[in-house]
Amino acid sequence: MSPAGALSGPKSGPKSGPKVVVTGATGAVGRHVAHRLAAGGTPPTLLVRDPAKAAALGLPGAGPAADGAAAPATVVRGDYADTDRLRAVLEGADALFVVTANPLRPRDDENLLAAARAAGVRHAVKLSWLGVADPGADDLVADWNRGAEDRLRSSGLTWTVLRIRTPMSNALAWAPSVRERGVVRAFGGAARTGCVDPRDVAEVAARALTDPAGHASATYALTGPQLLSAREQTAVLSEVLGVRIGFEELTAEEARAGWSARYGDRIADALLAAARRRADGAAGGDDGTLERLLGRAPGTFAGWAADHAEPFRPACRRAPEDTPRDPSGASGPDGP
């Protein structure tokens, strides 16, 4: 499946339609939302902190447009703390894709929604985490996502919530150890979860952004078609790459230390709690929602891995022009 596959509709240039602002456009899901909207004839405005990163990722509108061609998107710099800038970017927009990434900054959602309301935005589509539906999930990340959903529902905008399982792109966090040592190291290697292809989530998001009436007041649980553990994902990667990849189980202490070094203690504790819930079977199965919304079977991890094999290959096996994809946003609190 092409990550920039088009939605239904004309594919030769922009059409008259809603103005859509995409936040989190350099993230695991947002980048594909940007491509889908642009390819489907709805040139989005992409709000990013780092336009250079957007250009490096090849996002639409981040580079020069072809001579005489309409820009497929507009990339603007902004930060969730700059409320005046947010309102200026959102002025005249019809719909907003809401992605926030830091549980320690709950005001990010509040600022975005306040700016959207002041600018006249009518509909917001929120990327959330399916773990919030688990009554036993009471950690920082779960509570932050619940709070963000509550703010959206009480914002005065019409809304759609996309609750996702672990995105398949989280596996990119393993790429350095696979390239360098031929091994995946993870905590809870036997815990299964219905990991989902971010491109499928993006397809649903794009439809909800361009057809608000068809998805208003809906909360969707979006999971992949298979329950897979980290060990099973490692076996799939081995098959796709044609090499043997080992698996090393991290202890809880080792996993927490790694998360703490990257995100701090509070978020590390939340990630460890979530991992333990997965080990207890809390990650659930597929209820068919994603397949119903897509009108086709969701993508498998094997399909995702085949399309993203290069970052995992040792440098000696890559063609000189091949470079690893940027794994930013692939794991941690912005990858539920």
Side-chain angles (χ1 to χ4, degrees), residues 29-30 33 96-99 123-132 145 149 152-153 159-165 196-209 215-223 289-290 292-294 336:
V29 174
V33 174
L96 170 66
F97 185 53
V98 179
V99 181
H123 189 72
V125 177
K126 169 68 177 173
L127 187 67
S128 187
W129 179 42
L130 195 47
V132 303
N145 276 285
E149 289 187 14
L152 176 60
R153 294 189 181 99
W159 52 268
T160 307
V161 172
L162 309 180
R163 292 176 173 172
I164 70 170
R165 282 291 181 212
V196 63
D197 192 323
R199 297 171 294 187
D200 288 341
V201 177
E203 184 171 336
V204 174
R207 293 179 181 183
L209 288 162
H215 302 277
S217 302
T219 299
Y220 295 131
L222 305 182
T223 68
T289 297
L290 183 54
R292 175 177 61 81
L293 291 169
L294 295 174

Side-chain angles (χ1 to χ4, degrees), residues 140-233:
L140 172 68
V141 174
D143 288 344
W144 164 64
N145 276 285
R146 287 194 187 98
E149 289 187 14
D150 290 343
R151 288 185 185 90
L152 176 60
R153 294 189 181 99
S154 62
S155 67
L157 283 65
T158 62
W159 52 268
T160 307
V161 172
L162 309 180
R163 292 176 173 172
I164 70 170
R165 282 291 181 212
T166 305
M168 293 174 182
S169 53
N170 274 20
L172 287 169
W174 301 333
S177 66
V178 171
R179 287 197 309 270
E180 296 161 14
R181 298 179 52 229
V183 68
V184 167
R185 303 182 74 240
F187 173 65
R192 287 179 162 179
T193 186
C195 55
V196 63
D197 192 323
R199 297 171 294 187
D200 288 341
V201 177
E203 184 171 336
V204 174
R207 293 179 181 183
L209 288 162
T210 54
D211 178 23
H215 302 277
S217 302
T219 299
Y220 295 131
L222 305 182
T223 68
Q226 304 163 290
L227 287 175
L228 291 175
S229 68
R231 288 182 180 274
E232 289 166 331
Q233 288 176 295

Side-chain angles (χ1 to χ4, degrees), residues 87-148:
R87 179 166 179 176
V89 172
L90 289 163
E91 193 67 40
D94 301 293
L96 170 66
F97 185 53
V98 179
V99 181
T100 52
N102 192 340
L104 303 179
R105 290 179 51 169
R107 288 187 62 88
D108 286 352
D109 284 276
E110 183 179 332
N111 290 346
L112 263 177
L113 294 173
R117 186 169 55 247
V121 175
R122 295 191 292 272
H123 189 72
V125 177
K126 169 68 177 173
L127 187 67
S128 187
W129 179 42
L130 195 47
V132 303
D134 178 2
D138 58 0
D139 59 76
L140 172 68
V141 174
D143 288 344
W144 164 64
N145 276 285
R146 287 194 187 98

